[in-house]
């Protein structure tokens, strides 16, 4: 079994718990209050900025041309997601210029920032993959069921094959990398990212 598949399976219960948060289920039913979705989008913008910087540092620390090229493509994908968030912000009346970071977001961005500054390129990827895989998996789960059209744009975005391909690309980079890593460190980084993602969803589940 591939290492990324093994790590996903080891943390599958966290994925299930994330799927069943009131926030995610509220996206499906349309019952998520508008103000919470607005707050989530504003905070997710902070997260994506840090995610983009982590990709940049992973590129800088890469030791082969293939990884540099593929990680650069993934960085472009995050840049496009940031533009999408700016479009969302206008649609949902969110002022991103008058925005401050909240605890659940800061815990996650601090983790990514620390990992990307201190650790190797492949270790950065272990910390980033869970977000990509989880969002793709949640998007597909929601899309396969009946869902309210209030938040359909979010569901369609993350259920789309193009986002699945981004997650696959990052996992494939880990699988083909010749960089050495400590398996216990990889397990910690992956699980911690999954836990922080769950905390992020829970921060918008109080309704």
């Amino acid at each position: 079994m591939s290492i990324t598949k093994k790590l996903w399976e080891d943390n599958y219960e966290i994925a299930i718990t994330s799927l069943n948060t009131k926030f995610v289920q509220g996206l499906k039913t349309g019952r998520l209050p508008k103000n919470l979705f607005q707050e989530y989008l504003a905070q997710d913008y902070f997260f994506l900025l840090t995610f983009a910087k982590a990709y940049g540092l992973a590129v800088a620390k890469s030791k082969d041309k293939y990884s540099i090229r593929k990680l650069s493509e993934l960085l472009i994908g995050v840049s496009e997601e940031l533009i999408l968030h700016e479009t969302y912000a206008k649609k949902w009346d969110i002022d991103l210029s008058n925005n401050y970071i909240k605890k659940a977001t800061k815990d996650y961005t601090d983790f990514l920032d620390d990992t990307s500054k201190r650790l190797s390129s492949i270790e950065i990827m272990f910390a980033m993959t869970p977000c990509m895989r989880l969002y793709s998996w949640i998007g597909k789960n929601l899309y396969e069921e009946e869902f309210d059209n209030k938040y359909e744009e979010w569901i369609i975005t993350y259920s789309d094959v193009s986002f699945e391909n981004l997650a696959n690309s990052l996992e494939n980079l880990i699988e083909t990398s010749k960089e050495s890593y400590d398996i216990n460190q990889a397990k910690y980084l992956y699980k911690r990212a999954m836990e922080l993602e769950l905390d992020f969803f829970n921060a918008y589940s109080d309704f």
Side-chain angles (χ1 to χ4, degrees):
M1 184 185 295
S2 68
I3 182 61
T4 53
K5 187 173 182 182
K6 175 74 166 62
L7 290 170
W8 172 255
E9 291 191 358
D10 286 350
N11 292 280
Y12 192 67
E13 287 302 313
I14 302 176
I16 291 289
T17 305
S18 295
L19 178 65
N20 290 325
T21 55
K22 287 186 74 177
F23 169 77
V24 172
Q25 290 303 305
L27 289 170
K28 182 178 80 173
T29 62
R31 292 176 186 159
L32 177 69
K34 179 182 176 181
N35 68 300
L36 286 182
F37 186 63
Q38 289 171 314
E39 189 178 312
Y40 157 80
L41 282 179
Q43 292 298 301
D44 199 38
Y45 192 76
F46 280 123
F47 172 76
L48 287 173
L49 286 170
T50 303
F51 209 66
K53 291 173 186 175
Y55 267 132
L57 284 168
V59 169
K61 294 180 178 184
S62 291
K63 297 179 180 178
D64 64 275
K65 287 186 288 186
Y66 178 76
S67 294
I68 290 170
R69 180 165 59 83
K70 298 305 290 185
L71 285 166
S72 296
E73 289 171 4
L74 288 162
L75 175 54
I76 291 168
V78 178
S79 301
E80 290 170 351
E81 200 176 347
L82 280 165
I83 293 167
L84 180 67
H85 270 57
E86 288 165 5
T87 304
Y88 274 153
K90 290 175 184 174
K91 179 179 176 180
W92 290 89
D93 300 320
I94 302 164
D95 183 4
L96 292 174
S97 66
N98 187 29
N99 193 18
Y100 64 94
I101 196 163
K102 296 193 172 182
K103 185 181 185 306
T105 319
K106 191 171 188 307
D107 288 345
Y108 204 167
T109 56
D110 282 354
F111 163 75
L112 267 182
D113 190 52
D114 178 64
T115 299
S116 59
K117 286 177 179 173
R118 287 193 307 107
L119 303 180
S120 67
S121 182
I122 193 166
E123 289 168 324
I124 297 168
M125 287 188 268
F126 277 119
M128 297 178 76
T129 303
C131 173
M132 303 290 289
R133 176 51 56 204
L134 184 63
Y135 267 69
S136 174
W137 180 80
I138 284 174
K140 284 188 288 184
N141 268 274
L142 297 186
Y143 190 79
E144 287 167 3
E145 301 175 11
E146 282 192 25
F147 58 87
D148 187 90
N149 64 6
K150 185 176 180 183
Y151 299 114
E152 67 177 350
E153 196 171 359
W154 190 99
I155 294 170
I156 289 168
T157 296
Y158 292 108
S159 64
D160 192 80
V161 66
S162 61
F163 194 82
E164 164 79 6
N165 289 339
L166 291 174
N168 288 338
S169 291
L170 190 52
E171 289 172 341
N172 289 339
L173 267 180
I174 289 174
E175 299 301 338
T176 59
S177 175
K178 294 180 172 58
E179 277 192 70
S180 61
Y181 60 87
D182 179 84
I183 187 61
N184 291 322
Q185 174 80 306
K187 287 178 178 178
Y188 164 74
L189 292 169
Y190 198 101
K191 183 176 183 180
R192 186 62 186 140
M194 290 286 285
E195 290 170 341
L196 288 164
E197 195 67 66
L198 173 59
D199 289 347
F200 192 51
F201 291 152
N202 275 329
Y204 307 100
S205 294
D206 189 17
F207 63 93

